[in-house]
Amino acid sequence: MYTAKISGAGHYVPERIVTNDYLSTIIDTNDEWITERTGIRERRWVQEGDGNTAATMGTKAARKAIAAAGIEATEIGHIVFATISPDYYFPGCGVQVQEALDIGTIGATDIRNACSGFVYAMSIANAFVKSGMHEHVLVVASELQSPFLDKTTRGRNISVIFGDGAGAVVVSKAKQGERGIMSCHTHSQGKHKEELTMKGFGTQHWIDEYDKNGLNPDIHFPQMNGNFVFKNAVVRFEEVIGEALNKNNMTSDQIDCLIPHQANLRIAQFIQKRMKLRDDQVFNNIEKYGNTTAASIAIALSEAIEIGAVNRGDTVCMAAFGAGFTWGSLLMEY
Ligand code: UT7
């Protein structure tokens, strides 16, 4: 068995900034409500004609991660791409990254675990590298969610939260003595699949239904039972971070940086309190980007590295919770 580590990270967000004040001009909401309930002040949304798609944003983030890792794209052995907003219903975005990077016919796996997508993707990359199957695995997480949000007052509990953007990392074989990724933990509980979902255009709500009945907001836009999701999130976050710490005989005071999925600042603050973490032990950037689903941890990690909030040798814990429900954590020495 080998050890895997993150050798490089990068992120990309669209240029267009969408403020809470702007949202209050198109739906019945206001800056005070959004800031108080979620911590979000602005988010990035793609603009028509800017060329951004989940695949192109992911590719931009990937190029940065590859450069940061100090490798050639041709050295990558496999691509794992996490998104719930792919360019095509099929194939997945992974093959588009393979094409854009102009590399060999390496494998490309797509992950659809929503907000837990990056942690799930990391668990796969970690296993590939640990087993010796690949020396470098590219993990990309990218979301283009703004076009399919219900941007009317009816959808305001969801549309004000979500943003677009991409993050990527290269997972590589660690050198002797490097601790790297210590453990990954993933969970699911399908009985809550309808608490946070977008059912159309799944095969149970296909084109003929749309043709007959037109757009049905309950089917064709994301739906979330916000309170229920919130209550489950805070429990699972704490549980799965605890699982990672227990597995490695560590305690929360040994975490240099916790990067929680950026779902809601109130959730992150709740976990911080429960885990007795200081402000400097938790990294949040939801204020600027909103909830970018699978991409959120990848963007936050890349930004934390960029601004020196995460440095080589730091113990970093990532944790996610979202649709499915699915949740997971990863503990590593960066
Ligand atoms: O990333 C995947 C996982 N997702 C999460 O973890 C999200 C978890 N849930 C949440 O973050 C919160 O539940 C929300 C931010 C989505 C909602 O906050 P809340 O405090 O749970 O609000 P609520 O849904 O209970 O709604 C409270 C009130 C309602 O009005 P009434 O019925 O009390 O008159 C809503 O209609 O706030 C109203 N409301 C809004 N008002 C202004 C809902 N959305 C908005 C809005 N602006 N955007």
Side-chain angles (χ1 to χ4, degrees), residues 209-226:
E209 185 179 306
Y210 177 75
D211 279 347
K212 256 186 255 149
N213 307 321
L215 188 78
N216 178 347
D218 293 340
I219 301 291
H220 299 114
F221 288 130
Q223 303 295 322
M224 175 166 69
N225 183 353

Side-chain angles (χ1 to χ4, degrees), residues 14 16 18 22-23 26 43-55 57 83-87 142-152 154 158-165 198 200-201 210 215 217 220-222 291-293:
R16 180 181 167 213
V18 174
Y22 167 76
L23 289 181
I26 57 170
R43 73 287 292 141
R44 303 297 178 100
W45 281 2
V46 297
Q47 196 150 18
E48 221 179 311
D50 68 6
N52 284 317
T53 71
M57 290 191 294
T83 188
I84 53 160
S85 47
D87 295 20
S142 179
E143 301 285 7
L144 184 146
Q145 312 184 99
S146 54
F148 64 68
L149 297 174
D150 179 359
K151 298 186 204 73
T152 68
R154 182 183 52 211
I158 291 220
S159 49
V160 303
I161 295 175
F162 290 98
D164 303 333
M198 188 168 95
F201 288 94
Y210 177 75
L215 188 78
H220 299 114
F221 288 130
N291 179 344
T292 55
T293 306

Side-chain angles (χ1 to χ4, degrees), residues 7-281:
S7 54
H11 69 280
Y12 171 82
V13 291
E15 277 175 25
R16 180 181 167 213
I17 297 171
V18 174
T19 62
N20 294 344
D21 284 339
Y22 167 76
L23 289 181
S24 69
T25 65
I26 57 170
I27 57 183
D28 181 11
T29 188
N30 56 77
D31 178 51
E32 197 187 348
W33 190 96
I34 302 172
T35 311
E36 266 179 21
R37 305 264 178 155
T38 71
I40 300 166
R41 293 189 184 278
E42 57 190 41
R43 73 287 292 141
R44 303 297 178 100
W45 281 2
V46 297
Q47 196 150 18
E48 221 179 311
D50 68 6
N52 284 317
T53 71
T56 62
M57 290 191 294
T59 303
K60 286 178 190 168
R63 288 189 198 284
K64 291 181 187 173
I66 293 164
I71 63 162
E72 297 296 327
T74 48
E75 293 178 68
I76 293 162
H78 197 97
I79 298 164
V80 187
F81 197 117
T83 188
I84 53 160
S85 47
D87 295 20
Y88 306 133
Y89 189 80
F90 71 84
C93 289
V95 300
Q96 291 173 270
V97 174
Q98 181 275 332
E99 181 194 16
L101 294 180
D102 197 19
I103 50 181
T105 57
I106 59 168
T109 301
D110 283 76
I111 304 285
R112 303 181 67 231
N113 288 97
C115 300
S116 310
F118 182 67
V119 171
Y120 267 75
M122 286 297 294
S123 74
I124 290 165
N126 182 45
F128 272 144
V129 174
K130 272 183 87 162
S131 68
M133 204 160 158
H134 298 295
E135 197 152 330
H136 302 286
V137 175
L138 175 64
V139 175
V140 187
S142 179
E143 301 285 7
L144 184 146
Q145 312 184 99
S146 54
F148 64 68
L149 297 174
D150 179 359
K151 298 186 204 73
T152 68
T153 299
R154 182 183 52 211
R156 64 182 178 174
N157 71 322
I158 291 220
S159 49
V160 303
I161 295 175
F162 290 98
D164 303 333
V169 299
V170 176
V171 176
S172 305
K173 197 167 108 181
K175 293 196 186 83
Q176 198 89 37
E178 285 180 329
R179 205 154 181 212
I181 297 170
M182 299 174 214
S183 62
C184 300
H185 309 269
T186 50
H187 296 276
S188 70
Q189 193 179 25
K191 76 171 176 180
H192 296 313
K193 59 190 175 296
E194 298 201 352
E195 303 294 346
L196 175 51
T197 180
M198 188 168 95
K199 294 178 185 165
F201 288 94
T203 54
Q204 301 308 296
H205 300 279
W206 204 231
I207 310 293
D208 53 349
E209 185 179 306
Y210 177 75
D211 279 347
K212 256 186 255 149
N213 307 321
L215 188 78
N216 178 347
D218 293 340
I219 301 291
H220 299 114
F221 288 130
Q223 303 295 322
M224 175 166 69
N225 183 353
N227 278 305
F228 187 78
V229 175
F230 192 107
K231 282 180 191 146
N232 279 266
V234 289
V235 172
R236 297 305 191 185
F237 266 113
E238 189 181 351
E239 211 174 82
V240 82
I241 296 167
E243 185 179 353
L245 290 171
N246 285 342
K247 170 86 182 166
N248 297 285
N249 296 317
M250 292 174 83
T251 47
S252 62
D253 56 305
Q254 291 172 280
I255 295 176
D256 293 307
C257 188
L258 170 69
I259 304 183
H261 162 53
Q262 301 293 289
N264 183 325
L265 189 62
R266 283 166 55 216
I267 295 178
Q269 287 167 339
F270 188 88
I271 308 159
Q272 176 179 342
K273 206 166 160 192
R274 294 281 305 171
M275 314 262 348
K276 299 189 175 56
L277 297 170
R278 300 181 308 273
D279 285 352
D280 65 286
Q281 285 177 287

